[in-house]
Amino acid sequence: MLGDILRSAARLIARQSTSPKTDETHLIVEGLREAAQDATDLHVLHWDVQRLNGHASNPAGPLAS
């Protein structure tokens, strides 16, 4: 959800900024987009870790000979 909020903020700033866009506006929009991707990646990582923790708590089956 944080990633979506950051992407929406980037779109809003890009739309509302004067044309031509200043370097500062460009940096802000790019920073928000990068932060959005990072937040999305962390969210996915969190759920991957949760899934793996579920597998780690399950007892291992018998070893194949």
Side-chain angles (χ1 to χ4, degrees):
M1 189 182 321
L2 178 58
D4 293 337
I5 292 168
L6 292 169
R7 275 187 278 283
S8 293
R11 277 193 300 274
L12 180 64
I13 291 170
R15 251 189 273 137
Q16 297 296 324
S17 66
T18 59
S19 194
K21 292 183 176 67
T22 64
D23 289 340
E24 183 180 18
T25 302
H26 180 71
L27 287 173
I28 290 169
V29 169
E30 287 302 311
L32 287 169
R33 288 180 180 153
E34 287 177 22
Q37 186 60 53
D38 289 346
T40 301
D41 291 345
L42 288 172
H43 179 77
V44 170
L45 177 61
H46 168 78
W47 288 110
D48 286 345
V49 168
Q50 293 298 315
R51 183 177 49 82
L52 291 172
N53 281 338
H55 288 294
S57 63
N58 293 335
L63 295 176
S65 314

